[in-house]
Amino acid sequence: MNTSVLTLEERSNIESGSWFSKLSPALRQAILARATVRRLADGATLSARGTPAQEWVGVAKGAVRVSSVSLSGKQVTLTYVEPGTWFGDIALFDGLPRTHDASAHGETTLLIVRKSDFKELLAQHVELYDALLRLNCRRLRLMFDQIEDLNTRPLAARLAKQVMLLARSYGVQEGEEIRIGLALAQEDLAQLLGASRQRVNQELKGFEREGAVRIEPTRLVVLSKDKLLAIAER
């Protein structure tokens, strides 16, 4: 891959990713050598549920919205894949179709590794098997944590935790404040938490009264991480 087509910020996002940065230099170089850059406009489709898996993907900028369609036909957001994160390997391993829809949320830059190249990487670098096993164990632990939170913790605690995660992944420090760069409507937050938009709105207004956040159109600004953490631990 000619990494000069990535901006410095995009390249930094990939190389500093918590999983990718722990790989050996040889494996990192081998992955980048097989990757091509793809830029998607906001809302553009990356892959659709039920289609064959053909690519392994790293997010260099923006976010990938992973969603499904409810029985009523409504599109429901399950998660947002942040910069520095690689995904799509599960379907390449088991050979089954994609389980969810994936689309760009905002202008998004991706590194794409074709299925054939992914298989070659696995054949040539045993390290990749172990690294992906650890990555998928982490995903499984996070999924169990989310299920536990959904069944045992109040909405306010889950919402505060989600805002802190967004601030960590997309936060831009502005003095004492942290502006979350990912544009999310309250409906988007509600879908992530399995709640109604009205309840999420009520909780956010409570956070605002406590001085934890400031609500702006399609943006949240964290005013106090300590206050958010206290809400998350209630």
Side-chain angles (χ1 to χ4, degrees):
M1 182 192 74
N2 180 4
T3 54
S4 65
V5 299
L6 294 175
T7 67
L8 291 176
E9 178 187 7
E10 292 166 349
R11 182 167 180 172
S12 176
N13 286 339
I14 289 292
E15 294 182 344
S16 64
S18 59
W19 176 79
F20 188 81
S21 63
K22 293 181 176 65
L23 303 178
S24 68
L27 179 53
R28 293 200 303 269
Q29 180 56 39
I31 291 170
L32 294 176
R34 288 166 172 79
T36 58
V37 176
R38 182 180 301 169
R39 298 184 187 277
L40 298 179
D42 181 34
T45 297
L46 173 62
S47 59
R49 180 173 186 164
T51 58
Q54 299 294 338
E55 299 170 338
W56 183 42
V57 183
V59 182
K61 174 189 172 184
V64 173
R65 177 176 182 255
V66 179
S67 61
S68 63
V69 179
S70 68
L71 292 176
S72 64
K74 181 181 180 181
Q75 197 81 8
V76 178
T77 301
L78 302 176
T79 190
Y80 292 90
V81 185
E82 64 191 55
T85 302
W86 291 78
F87 70 100
D89 48 282
I90 292 176
L92 294 180
F93 274 122
D94 64 20
L96 297 176
R98 295 296 190 194
T99 55
H100 300 91
D101 298 324
S103 59
H105 185 80
E107 293 186 356
T108 299
T109 304
L110 307 171
L111 288 184
I112 305 293
V113 177
R114 297 178 306 169
K115 181 178 180 179
S116 58
D117 289 321
F118 178 76
K119 295 294 187 181
E120 283 187 12
L121 286 167
L122 289 172
Q124 297 171 9
H125 298 268
V126 176
E127 174 193 353
L128 185 56
Y129 275 106
D130 291 335
L132 287 172
L133 178 60
R134 291 193 301 272
L135 177 62
N136 282 297
C137 286
R138 181 174 181 274
R139 289 169 177 162
L140 190 58
R141 288 178 183 273
L142 289 173
M143 183 184 71
F144 282 140
D145 285 345
Q146 291 171 345
I147 293 172
E148 182 179 5
D149 285 351
L150 184 62
N151 286 280
T152 63
R153 309 192 70 173
L155 176 59
R158 291 189 284 119
L159 177 57
K161 186 176 180 179
Q162 182 66 60
V163 173
M164 287 192 297
L165 289 173
L166 290 169
R168 185 190 67 188
S169 300
Y170 296 97
V172 178
Q173 195 77 40
E174 296 180 346
E176 297 297 316
E177 301 178 351
I178 303 174
R179 180 179 298 277
I180 297 175
L182 187 68
L184 289 180
Q186 290 185 14
E187 176 65 27
D188 297 324
L189 279 173
Q191 290 179 16
L192 288 174
L193 296 165
S196 68
R197 186 196 63 78
Q198 291 80 5
R199 287 196 62 203
V200 166
N201 178 261
Q202 290 172 0
E203 297 294 351
L204 285 175
K205 287 181 177 178
F207 292 2
E208 196 167 39
R209 287 192 297 270
E210 293 187 44
V213 304
R214 183 172 67 249
I215 304 170
E216 297 181 354
T218 72
R219 290 287 194 281
L220 285 175
V221 179
V222 175
L223 304 179
S224 172
K225 290 189 292 185
D226 289 340
K227 289 181 180 180
L228 269 181
L229 181 60
I231 296 170
E233 293 179 342
R234 287 176 186 170

